[in-house]
Amino acid sequence: MTTENKSLSISPLIIILAVIGMIAQWFISSKWGIGLSPDSSGYLYAARGLMNGKGLIEISQWNKVIPLCNFAPMVSTLLGFFGVLGIEPMIGARWLHIVVFGGNIFLSGFIIFHYTRSNWASTLTSFFVLTSLVTLEIHAMLWSEPIFIFFGFAGIYLLALALEDESKKPVLIPSALVLGLSFLSKYSGASFILAGVLTAFFFSKKTYLKRIINCLLIGAVSSLPMTLWSLRNRLSGTWPAGLTFNFEPYLMGHVRALFAYISIWILPKSISPVFRGVVLLLLIGFFISAAWVCASWAKRYSSPNKVSGMFYGGPFPWILLIVMASHIGVYFAATAFMGENSFDNRALSPVFVSCAIFMVGTGCDLWRLSQQFSWRRNLLSVLLIFFVISYFFRAVQWGVVANRDGLWYSSREWNTSGIIEKIKQYTGGIPIYTNGPDVVYLLTGKPASAIPAKSNVFKVHVPDPERRLLQNYPLELEKMRKDLRKNQGIVVYLDKIYWRWYYPTADELMRIVPLGVVERVQGGTIYKMEE
């Protein structure tokens, strides 16, 4: 029996879970606010620039105000609109992420319901998106991933709908535009566009010529907003600082990081990496086998022109695999050619959402096909119970700790540190140079300049002997020296900022500038020019 005429009544549980997710995010950020990181500083600075009529701007590596280019513009634009409405962008970001978390929980459940017509499958998918440490963290932080994921999966879903009934040609353009919004949210949104183009080529029922035309149409429409943004950057003389295009092959390191983070989605980090890896490989093998069983059944028994109520009754499972492969491939390219960091949960968040939908949909089909094979249902039951209990308790534990201690720069430790309190006491707009300008800006509201970098910020993989001094390093040191002397400025070294190897150490700077210690307090040291 097909399910074309079945009621589209959705389980109220996914709406309830979406509301619970919003409440959870409100609770996590209720004490210390939304989580802040170096990227958060860039988003907020650009948003406040837009709010104050200066446009989307940022601070360059050499402490100059330039048009925003290192970040895609969507997040800062949305936060800037909050500012125009009289809402401080940081407060607006918190509420935006609360709402978007609910939206992503609902969207994931709705997508799986569309393809399985199963209320329990949609509820489980929403539950895993709600309780995953991956999605909890990215929505608790002021990052671009929440809206990037929302627009990306909304666009892919609309494209899948267009391919289900290709007589509805107007649906293709909106899906491409929504995919374009994901690209405007994050540069790696190119992965969703790549996935969309591949999807249109492989799963369209049209002739190959028409497929190619549709692929070109999707690529052009979805890339148009980012093309205009890139043209603006070119005309303004700016370009993302990380685009060095120097091939740095660290394939095995990235592969290890990829598998390490995915294995933590299955078992807690405290468990042996080797054991996690073995379990991951077994789980991958199981779901590959399950996908083959479900796809074989669907190919044999399902009508090719009707929705069967089976996840594998259409191309969507394979579309999800394309999304995963596209995102991982784009990120591999970025790490190899642009000097970016390796994989982490933040980078893999779209892959997690794809995995959650794929695994629940596959499990739903396998359950339906296993009435005479109890071992399959027993195994699925064990996996389900394990994941539900594990995800629930890990989510509760993480949420309580995040509420108590805060996240990253908005943590209790940073907000109550003596060095931050001392910086707040300085008045008169004196120059502040520091190894943590983002921290100072976010926690004190005072503009701060970065200490001149002596090495290329993005060459994180280059061995120490090859880290050559930047040519303008001496010139920037001289500018800082003159500014400090003329305006009685200060230099602040934050103890917790230990990973920025590209800045000179305090001892190096004391010899070059020279500097004298004004005060050592909890969390850092304040220096001034010696007379």
Side-chain angles (χ1 to χ4, degrees), residues 402-514:
N403 169 264
R404 182 190 67 202
D405 298 335
L407 297 167
W408 290 53
Y409 293 162
S410 60
S411 67
R412 177 201 302 269
E413 189 175 2
W414 271 115
N415 278 281
T416 59
S417 66
I419 191 67
I420 296 298
E421 293 302 318
K422 284 293 180 182
I423 296 172
K424 290 179 179 179
Q425 294 174 12
Y426 281 88
T427 58
I430 64 169
I432 300 174
Y433 288 84
T434 175
N435 61 336
D438 45 2
V439 184
V440 173
Y441 175 68
L442 289 169
L443 299 186
T444 71
K446 297 179 182 295
S449 300
I451 295 168
K454 62 179 182 179
S455 301
N456 191 325
V457 173
F458 289 90
K459 290 298 180 182
V460 295
H461 298 303
V462 178
D464 285 333
E466 298 180 20
R467 288 176 181 166
R468 300 176 181 177
L469 291 179
L470 294 175
Q471 292 182 351
N472 51 352
Y473 175 58
L475 177 61
E476 294 300 321
L477 279 176
E478 183 60 28
K479 288 181 181 179
M480 184 184 76
R481 182 187 294 112
K482 290 180 179 179
D483 191 22
L484 290 172
R485 188 175 297 278
K486 179 180 179 181
N487 298 300
Q488 298 297 304
I490 60 173
V491 175
V492 178
Y493 264 87
L494 302 172
D495 294 342
K496 290 189 65 179
I497 305 294
Y498 54 83
W499 65 87
R500 289 174 174 162
W501 51 265
Y502 42 85
Y503 289 148
T505 65
D507 290 340
E508 288 176 321
L509 211 56
M510 287 178 72
R511 292 193 300 269
I512 298 171
V513 176

Side-chain angles (χ1 to χ4, degrees), residues 189-306:
S191 63
F192 277 113
I193 294 179
L194 174 61
V197 170
L198 293 175
T199 294
F201 181 80
F202 286 112
F203 298 112
S204 174
K205 299 179 181 65
K206 294 182 177 295
T207 64
Y208 280 108
L209 178 60
K210 290 183 178 180
R211 291 187 195 187
I212 293 172
I213 292 174
N214 280 343
C215 288
L216 292 174
L217 178 64
I218 292 170
V221 172
S222 58
S223 299
L224 179 60
M226 182 55 71
T227 300
L228 296 175
W229 173 252
S230 300
L231 179 62
R232 169 261 194 191
N233 290 341
R234 279 296 191 188
L235 293 177
S236 63
T238 58
W239 195 245
L243 298 185
T244 55
F245 295 102
N246 292 304
F247 184 64
E248 297 178 0
Y250 289 84
L251 180 62
M252 290 311 300
H254 296 319
V255 170
R256 284 193 296 268
L258 174 64
F259 277 87
Y261 277 97
I262 292 178
S263 70
I264 298 172
W265 301 349
I266 302 170
L267 296 170
K269 189 176 182 180
S270 57
I271 294 177
S272 165
V274 175
F275 183 74
R276 292 202 316 264
V278 171
V279 173
L280 173 61
L281 291 176
L282 290 174
L283 200 62
I284 290 174
F286 171 75
F287 275 97
I288 289 176
S289 301
W292 181 81
V293 170
C294 296
S296 298
W297 183 92
K299 183 178 181 180
R300 182 174 180 181
Y301 294 106
S302 296
S303 170
N305 299 316
K306 292 183 181 296

Side-chain angles (χ1 to χ4, degrees), residues 318-341:
W318 317 118
I319 293 174
L320 290 173
L321 293 180
I322 288 176
V323 170
M324 295 184 221
S326 297
H327 189 75
I328 292 173
V330 166
Y331 209 84
F332 265 126
T335 57
F337 289 95
M338 304 177 192
E340 294 291 335
N341 295 325

